[in-house]
Amino acid sequence: MSKMRGAIVIDVERCKGCMLCTVSCPRNVIALAERKVNTHGYPYVEAIRPDECTGCMNCGIVCPDGCITVYRKKVED
């Protein structure tokens, strides 16, 4: 039996740390990076539990700067 999983790619240089994606993620996969900033001086988000991503795409939909791309893939059990 196979199920769908997600894979998140975050463009940290475009991220401004608004955290809309963290609020929209039902599995708490994304969080604001602690004590890290991009070259523009903004704190950015990162996938802290990438294996728990279901590929729902909520984070990519709500991102105002288009920083997040979500891929869906089949995983065999």
Side-chain angles (χ1 to χ4, degrees), residues 7-18 21 30 37-40 42-47 59-60 63-71:
I8 303 171
V9 177
I10 301 167
D11 184 347
V12 297
E13 291 305 315
R14 290 179 61 185
C15 181
K16 293 180 182 165
C18 71
C21 57
I30 306 170
V37 294
N38 60 22
T39 57
H40 304 289
Y42 293 110
Y44 56 86
V45 296
E46 59 187 356
C59 58
C63 181
D65 295 310
C67 304
I68 302 173
T69 305
V70 180
Y71 297 97

Side-chain angles (χ1 to χ4, degrees), residues 33-57:
E34 293 185 26
R35 301 179 193 171
K36 296 181 193 174
V37 294
N38 60 22
T39 57
H40 304 289
Y42 293 110
Y44 56 86
V45 296
E46 59 187 356
I48 57 168
R49 288 191 217 102
D51 294 339
E52 294 184 27
C53 180
T54 61
C56 72
M57 300 185 200

